[in-house]
Amino acid sequence: MPAKGGLFPKALVRQTKGVFIMIIILKNGASKGEVEKLIHSIESLGGITANTIIGEHSSIIGLVGDTSQLNEDDIAASDAVEAVKRVQEPYKMANRKFHPDDTVIPVGEASVGGGALAMIAGPCSVESEEQIVAVAKSVKESGASMLRGGAFKPRTSPYAFQGLHDEGIRLLLKAKKETGLPIVTEIMSIEHLELFADVDVIQVGARNMQNFELLKALGHCGKPILLKRGLSSTLEELLMSAEYIMAGGNGNVILCERGIRTFETATRNTLDLSAVPMLKRLSHLPVIIDPSHACGIAWMVEPMARGAVAVGADGLIVEVHNNPPKALCDGKQSITPAAFDELMKGLRPMAALMGRTL
Ligand code: PEP
Ligand code: MN
């Protein structure tokens, strides 16, 4: 007689509450004592049930419950263990399986996720009041939904322009006051968090994607976080970093693909457009694309932005400078306000085709 609602004979069904599954394959000849010790150490964490299946040649322990608290490598270190396989993803709050609907993050009058295409535009770095206010006004005129601008800049060289720091944030707030555009700017250190009190979206740059203490602090800051993918990070690592922020109680995380390191040298990085549909399948969080840092070349921003919209991105973050040759940072990849206006015009029919408002 089949079990209620199931495919299996009742005798084979042992119902255990829990959403995650992990399988431990035991070594041939693992001793009973070692196996019992292992099971005890796992079950004593709470919320996990271990079911042992003894075969003639190999045996397994099936774990059901909150296995997100387990580390495969720690389990594999046991003398009794041959291999460990996680059947489900190690992240839960960011996982679409447990949150099927898309997350929509409101930012002032704009929102990221859902039906809108969020357009974040502005210079790499805030350089002066004239510069940031002029760029803010022009990108607003073209239809941008948020203003970007770095005040704390992560530069490869300690001798390069490092940003205007607190003065940069003050100038961004000035530009916000003049245009009404919400502001997005990067944090590099927990110590600076207080300076971000009036910032609308806090950006975590590629280099800090795995700064776990920073991520934990941002889990409590109550502001949307724009989390950029690390230069050589996998999508799972990106989602685990989002999980750090979400585990602290902040569910407003925007994921951003900004190009990854490959062997290719023709572009600054390689834009991984496949990250968009994959992340959106794995997670309910909105995903945006940064074509500027991905390619590092101004003329490539437009075709890659179109590609991003075509694969379902929820938005774009684009570097726009009023005088790219004179920019203090990333001038080569910055487009002019006029080019941004053209970009917006070109994206509108594409966005409409994808069912998005722009
Ligand atoms: C930036 O957006 O200015 C920036 C430094 O980006 P990334 O962290 O992606 O390099
Ligand atoms: Mn930049």
Side-chain angles (χ1 to χ4, degrees):
M1 163 127 165
K4 204 172 140 204
L7 295 168
F8 304 104
K10 199 171 186 177
L12 292 182
V13 176
R14 264 178 70 191
Q15 289 212 344
T16 312
K17 260 186 99 183
V19 287
F20 287 94
I21 297 175
M22 193 185 261
I23 296 168
I24 302 173
I25 300 153
L26 295 169
K27 273 187 189 149
N28 257 347
S31 78
K32 190 165 174 263
E34 279 166 351
V35 174
E36 277 172 0
K37 205 167 108 195
L38 177 65
I39 291 177
H40 176 73
S41 71
I42 293 169
E43 287 194 329
S44 62
L45 293 170
I48 305 173
T49 309
N51 300 281
T52 312
I53 302 173
I54 313 283
E56 204 178 327
H57 297 293
S58 31
S59 303
I60 63 166
I61 305 173
L63 303 179
V64 184
D66 188 3
T67 58
S68 60
Q69 50 186 326
L70 296 175
N71 181 299
E72 288 106 305
D73 293 341
D74 293 346
I75 297 173
S78 159
D79 286 340
V81 174
E82 179 75 42
V84 185
K85 296 210 183 316
R86 201 183 270 284
V87 179
Q88 252 117 354
E89 302 82 8
Y91 45 90
K92 49 184 176 177
M93 310 202 67
N95 200 322
R96 194 180 276 281
K97 275 190 191 128
F98 315 121
H99 187 304
D101 296 336
D102 285 344
T103 285
V104 181
I105 302 176
V107 185
E109 300 205 338
S111 56
V112 189
L117 189 72
M119 290 298 293
I120 307 169
C124 179
S125 319
V126 181
E127 297 172 8
S128 67
E129 181 172 332
E130 299 68 49
Q131 173 239 21
I132 193 68
V133 171
V135 176
K137 282 184 176 161
S138 50
V139 296
K140 159 107 193 208
E141 187 77 8
S142 304
S145 40
M146 285 176 237
L147 174 69
R148 67 147 288 151
F152 292 90
K153 293 306 305 173
R155 304 303 300 275
T156 303
S157 166
Y159 310 116
F161 176 60
Q162 303 286 307
L164 297 180
H165 296 188
D166 44 347
E167 171 67 0
I169 294 185
R170 194 186 68 75
L171 296 179
L172 279 166
L173 290 168
K174 182 100 208 297
K176 175 182 174 173
K177 205 164 165 214
E178 300 251 345
T179 59
L181 287 177
I183 55 172
V184 182
T185 193
E186 177 170 352
I187 191 164
M188 297 222 303
S189 165
I190 309 177
E191 288 162 28
H192 300 147
L193 195 51
E194 268 180 28
L195 296 172
F196 287 68
D198 298 320
V199 167
D200 297 282
V201 177
I202 303 181
Q203 175 174 322
V204 175
R207 289 150 192 87
N208 271 311
M209 188 203 87
Q210 287 192 318
N211 182 339
F212 299 119
E213 290 305 317
L214 178 61
L215 300 178
K216 282 188 215 166
L218 296 176
H220 303 119
C221 77
K223 286 181 186 290
I225 307 299
L226 169 50
L227 179 64
K228 291 188 134 192
R229 181 182 183 179
L231 279 71
S232 304
S233 299
T234 64
L235 297 182
E236 185 167 293
E237 285 164 341
L238 172 62
L239 289 166
M240 288 305 283
S241 291
E243 190 79 13
Y244 261 93
I245 300 166
M246 299 175 89
N250 184 357
N252 289 333
V253 181
I254 304 159
L255 304 171
C256 178
E257 156 61 27
R258 46 76 72 205
I260 49 172
R261 281 265 163 93
T262 68
F263 50 82
E264 183 54 70
T265 54
T267 46
R268 182 173 176 181
N269 293 290
T270 298
L271 179 57
D272 179 13
L273 277 184
S274 64
V276 177
M278 185 55 88
L279 285 171
K280 292 188 71 71
R281 175 168 288 234
L282 296 172
S283 176
H284 51 88
L285 296 173
V287 182
I288 69 166
I289 287 283
D290 175 346
S292 311
H293 290 90
C295 305
I297 310 165
W299 65 262
M300 278 193 95
V301 168
E302 203 234 338
M304 299 322 288
R306 284 171 179 262
V309 176
V311 296
D314 294 296
L316 291 157
I317 178 163
V318 177
E319 285 190 342
V320 180
H321 196 284
N322 49 352
N323 189 358
K326 288 268 169 350
L328 296 181
C329 184
D330 287 348
K332 188 171 161 228
Q333 68 197 32
S334 299
I335 59 172
T336 60
F340 181 72
D341 196 61
E342 283 304 305
L343 174 72
M344 290 293 286
K345 285 192 183 122
L347 286 182
R348 279 200 181 95
M350 284 225 48
L353 212 60
M354 295 301 294
R356 296 196 182 264
T357 50
L358 178 62

